[in-house]
Structure formats: C-alpha cells, structure tokens
Amino acid sequence: MKRATFAQSPRMVTEASQSYSFSRRAILLGGLQGAVGVALAGRMAWLAIAENARYSSLSESNRVNMTLVPPRRGWIVDRHGVPIANNRTDFRVDIIPDRLENKGHVLGLLRDILKLPPEEMDRLVADLEHAAGFQPVQVAENLDWERFAAVSVRLPELPGVAPTRGFSRSYPAGAAVAHLTGYVGAASAEQYKQTRDPLMVTPGFKLGKDGLEKTLESTLRGVAGQKRVEVTARGKLVAELATKPDQPGTNARLTIDAGLQEYAARRLGTQSGSVVVIDVATGEMLAMVSMPAYDPNTFSDGISHLEWKMLSDNDHVPLMNKVLQGLYPPGSTVKPMNGLALLGAGVPASDRVVCTGALRVGTGIFHCHKKSGHGALDLKNAIMQSCDIYFYEMIRRLGYDHVAPVARRLGLGQKFDLPFNSQRYGTVPDTAWKLRRYKQPWTVPDSLNASIGQGYVLTNPLQLAVMASRLASGRALQPSILADHVHADAPALPIQPDHLQTIHEAMWGVVNGGGTGGAARMLIPGVQLAGKTGTAQVRRITMAERAGGVLKNGALPFKMRDHALFQGFAPHDKPRYAIGVVLEHGGHTVRNLDTPAIARDIMTYLFDRDRALASLAEAEPTWGGDIKTRMAAETAVYRAAAGAPPLAVGAQTELNATAPTDAPAVRAASAADVAAAEDLANSAAPGNTVAEDGTTERDVP
C-alpha cells in the first residue's frame, strides 16, 4: 500500500510579518547602540570626573616640569650659637646618566662652557661609567653665576644636564670637627633602592653619612620644596611658575665650645691623639677632638680614590674617631682611682710601702719605673711619684676584685647616652670576667698588671675624661653633647669626702708638688691644675733587651712606642673643668707635644684665652704650620710617592667608601690594638709581664 506524500506549502510573507521582524531587529540594534552609548558616556564621565586629576596631571606634565628642591639642612651650632656646620649658597651642575644623549657632544659643550681642566674631564668620564643610571653625577659645584647661567640658557642642547641653585654644607673649622659632626654626601644606589624616595636622586641633595650629621638626620634634613617651570614640547624653558618652598631642617645646638674645639685640635699638633673636656658642674662636653682627621668639606664634595687610599694607608688612622673608638690601657692615670679603692677598703692613707725599685712575688721580680726605688711612700706620695711598687704591693694584698667596682663607678667600661653609633666600651676585668672570657683563673700577675693600668684594662678617652670629672666632683656625672639633653643633678658617688680630699691633694702634688706631671703646671694666678700622668706599654720586651737596656721610645718605630695619657681637673680647689688626653704611641718623646703640656695649654684656654693662643702661635710653626697647611703638605708628599696613577683611576670619585668610623682601616687598627693588649696581658707568666718591666712612667720629663 502506497504511503501518501504531503508537500509542505511555502510560508507566506505578509506585510505584518515583515513589520514585526524589522521592529524586533531595530529594537535589538537600538539596544546595542544604547548600551554602547551608555558605556561611552560612562567612560567619558569616568575620565572627566574620577580620572580628572590623573589626566590633568599628565597633561600638565607635558607642559610643566616639576622637580624637587633639596631642603636646607639645619645648622649645627655650639653652645654660644657659633656655627659648626652651616650652609652656603651653591650653584652646581650634575648629569643624570639615564637622560644623557649624545654623550660626547654634551661633555664637549660642558668642557667649553665651564672651562673644565683635563683631570676634571677624566674624573667625570670615569664617574659616568661607574654610576647608577638614576644617580646624579657631579660635573661641578661652587660655580660663579656667569658659568651657571651659561649652562642654564643652553639646556636644550644639553639633555641629561641638571643645573641646580641651592645650598651646600660647610664646616668652618674643617678637620677640627670632622669626628664630631661627621659629614654629608650623596645618597648611594643602595639607599635609593631601599626607600625609592625621589629626593635621594635629586641633584644637590645630601644626607648625613657619619657622626652627628647621620644620627641627627631626621632633625637636620627638613622637607623638600618643589620647583615648576613651563616648557615647550622640545623641553625649552618658557617661564618659571609658582614654586613650593622647602622647609629647612631644625638647628641642633651642642654643648661644645667651638673655639675650644678648634684650639684643642690645633694644640695636638702632629700627634695622633684625642682630647675631651667636660664641664664638672653639668657633665657637658666642651670639646671632643680626634686628630688627625679628614676634612669634612672635602668628603661632602666627594673625595677621589687617591684621597681615600691616602687616608686609609695613614698609620695615624685619621678615619678613626679615637675619642669613642680608640681603646687603650690607661696606664698610671688609674692610680688615683686605685687609691680611692684602697681607702674605701679600709687601707689607711698613712700606710707606707718601701720601694726599692723591685718586688719579688713568687718566682717573678716586678720592677718600678724608678730603678733605684722611691723609698718609703704613703698613698699620697705614691700617686705623686707614680710608684709602681706601692700599688703592686697594696693591690696584691687587697685583690683586684675590690678595685674593679670602683673603676666601673668612675666610668671605665661604661656606655654613655650620646648620639653616636661608634662607641667602644673597653674592659674592667675581674675574676669572674677572666673566667668567663678565657676559662682561666685570675692570677697575682693579673692584679699587678691591672694595678698600673695595664693587662686586661682598656678604656677609651671619653671614659678617661669622665673618670677625671667624677674624681673632681664626687658625683656620677653623665657626659652630654646635645644642649637639650643634659643630664642635670647627677647623684653623689658613695665616696667619703675625706677620701676624695686625699686624692685631690695627691693629684695636686703630681703637677704642683714635685710629682711626675710638673710640665702641666699652669701659669695663671690663682688657678692650679690637679692631674695624673700615664704611660701604657704596647709591646712585649724580651729578656735580652732588658739585659742590654730597654730601648727608648724615640728609637722605636711609631707603632711600637708607648701611649701617653693625662687626666685632671682645674681649679684644683674648686673644680670646674676636667680633661682627658690620650696620645697614641706618643711615647713622651717631644716635651711641648706631650700630654702634660697639651693639657696645660688647653685648660689655660678656658681661663686665659689670649695667653693660650699666644703660646700656640709660638709653637705651631715648628710643627709645620696649622692643620690645613700640614694636611696639604702630607697630600702633596703622598701624591708624589704614589707616582702618577692614571687620572681616570686616581681622580675618580670614591662611591663605595664606607663611613670613616666603619672603614676597613679603622676596623683593622682597632682589632690590632686590642689584640696587642690581650697578647701582653696573656703573657703574664713570671719573667715576661708588663708589670715586671715597670715602664709606666719612664719617659715623663
């Protein structure tokens, strides 16, 4: 049976169906168009309202260049408002390597415009090769207006060149304040990467690198300003627009007396040493000097490889802040302190010890610096004559564990609240300390060495001056250097007044009564200085040398000479000022450059400035002139001895130098000094001890 087939009839398209289909498509297209319109309108609204600030800024940046203006640093001033670190107007030119185009052409133009000598061009080329791309490279600073303006008007021809009108740091006293203030310098690439602060790479900006400039950075820096200029599309200047001024940093007032600071630095002459002067009424530091030193003005400008090497190679270690970083055996300067310990332990001041020049203890013979001996001495005369035998015998009986607490009470081994990061604290040893450090028991030779300020005893010059101020005042004075951070009302030390009076009389006798420090006698009517001299041995003396005669310091190389020390106060009857002087390897070889004479003149400055300055004017020419003159002469000698290194190497700016107080040369010198002291202390077997040599005062005139 055949299935029926039905054919599908074609669909009829009517006018109504066409109308419906068109309307539906029109609605769909209209909806799409409306959505696009809404999106465009929304986007336009977003750009016009929400993103207005951003695109206005971008648009403005095409027309206006904005650069940061480095803030003026706050000044560092002394107690009287005299500037120690201030700012001078500076016109400078830098290059931003990332923006530099056609290097040869630009450098040639700069050479012609600024009249740069060949060595400066070599230095500039070398600096550009080694600088980070974003780090400004100095072309020249301290320019006169004419040369600065000549660069400014030709900027369209000098892409990457950045002339800056601002301020640079100035240290009027130069090297005399180097270790007090530190210096400022350009931020390193590492510092910028850590902070991403655009100020760090702004031409002319410098931050504290060492000393007070570093520790007071947040106070001294200030807030950057902004400079806006209208330019064409090619970068040509059209007009200067309104600028936002910088906010200068806050000034820092110190307790330092700038005049005394500079005088003390000059009075040290050619010696490698340090001076600290303290106001006994308040604990304020009036001078903190370490010499030789570097010129912070040179460091702030940027030193060369050759200059950095010269400072690093110097055996007087000018990069070291000796006041805080130098550690020295205090020698006989501790004998007044030892005397207080004896009195406090019940030893009568009248008890005598007969000094024959030597003392046998066990199998060892311990010598006094006076080979023939001092005879019978009580405490006062033992301090005046600096008799070693008296202190050997008394502290052998008492034990050094009774002395160590008094040493700490007077400031040895103590850390002080000062704005420096480089303090080293020394050592006040005792039985527990040696057992902890060396796993060995304390011995009698250890006590004898410590009794004359040798062996394991180490102190820095600040601690020496603090000891002098506490002996003078009988109070636990705390040294201060910031005028707004003085530690007033120091408590009394647990010392009986009559004991302190005995020590004062003995220290007066050291200087004025025929003692070892007669060269410190002051010539001012009514003002007398009380003090104590000291010598610290730095080398082991062999038995063969002792048998043939111990070599004098003048016959030894610099590093083998004894240290020379002095601590004291004036006036002796009403103490007002205390002083500590340390000469590294001074050896008591030159009378007017020895510690007693230096201390005398510095203390004289405080009571009769004209007399002190007249004395300095007479002596300074014999030392080779003032500090600046001597430094220039030393530099010339070093350059000549170094030959003629390639200018691009010798003149290149040293970008990787550490802060002076953390320089490799300083770390090496510190380690060597401590190692030498420990080596001497650890050789305390009978027959080879410092105490047996008895050299603590042998060269005092």
Side-chain angles (χ1 to χ4, degrees), residues 269-282:
T270 57
Q271 293 281 23
S272 174
S274 54
V275 174
V276 177
V277 179
I278 295 177
D279 187 326
V280 172
T282 61

Side-chain angles (χ1 to χ4, degrees), residues 130-343:
H130 293 86
F134 50 78
Q135 191 173 22
V137 171
Q138 177 182 303
V139 177
E141 66 176 358
N142 299 323
L143 294 170
D144 54 62
W145 170 251
E146 286 74 17
R147 287 189 294 168
F148 178 77
V151 172
S152 298
V153 298
R154 300 187 67 174
L155 279 182
E157 304 172 63
L158 300 168
V161 174
T164 307
R165 178 172 55 187
F167 297 88
S168 62
R169 205 61 160 167
S170 174
Y171 305 92
V177 299
H179 290 296
L180 172 67
T181 61
Y183 69 103
V184 297
S188 66
E190 290 73 23
Q191 287 172 315
Y192 172 69
K193 290 174 182 176
Q194 289 172 3
T195 64
R196 292 295 172 180
D197 182 351
L199 182 60
M200 294 281 187
V201 291
T202 299
F205 172 73
K206 294 179 180 179
L207 73 166
K209 292 285 190 174
D210 206 3
L212 293 175
E213 291 279 25
K214 181 177 181 180
T215 55
L216 301 180
E217 174 66 22
S218 60
T219 298
L220 296 171
R221 180 184 293 187
V223 179
Q226 296 178 356
K227 178 182 178 181
R228 299 168 69 245
V229 294
E230 185 176 1
V231 294
T232 66
R234 296 175 61 85
K236 186 175 181 180
L237 177 66
V238 174
E240 288 195 9
L241 305 177
T243 62
K244 178 183 177 182
D246 66 295
Q247 297 178 25
T250 303
N251 292 348
R253 183 181 291 269
L254 307 184
T255 61
I256 295 294
D257 182 319
L260 177 67
Q261 175 82 12
E262 186 170 2
Y263 181 86
R266 293 172 61 189
R267 186 58 187 83
L268 282 171
T270 57
Q271 293 281 23
S272 174
S274 54
V275 174
V276 177
V277 179
I278 295 177
D279 187 326
V280 172
T282 61
E284 294 171 288
M285 296 170 64
L286 304 179
M288 190 193 89
V289 177
S290 174
M291 294 299 291
Y294 58 90
D295 184 351
N297 293 298
T298 301
F299 262 62
S300 294
D301 293 344
I303 66 167
S304 67
H305 281 335
L306 190 65
E307 289 171 304
W308 178 255
K309 189 173 188 306
M310 177 183 70
L311 292 166
S312 299
D313 290 346
N314 192 323
D315 63 0
H316 285 32
V317 201
L319 296 172
M320 177 188 284
N321 182 347
K322 298 177 178 68
V323 171
L324 300 176
Q325 294 182 287
L327 291 179
Y328 313 95
S332 294
T333 61
V334 299
K335 288 175 179 174
M337 176 200 74
N338 292 348
L340 272 181
L342 293 173
L343 293 171

Side-chain angles (χ1 to χ4, degrees), residues 369 374 380-387 505-521 531-533 566 591 596 697 700-701:
H369 67 89
H374 291 99
K380 186 186 300 184
N381 282 284
I383 293 173
M384 288 171 55
Q385 301 304 322
S386 200
C387 177
E505 291 172 1
M507 293 177 70
W508 175 88
V510 169
V511 177
N512 307 283
T516 57
R521 188 179 297 113
K532 184 68 192 79
T533 54
F566 185 92
R591 187 176 178 85
E697 295 291 342
V700 174

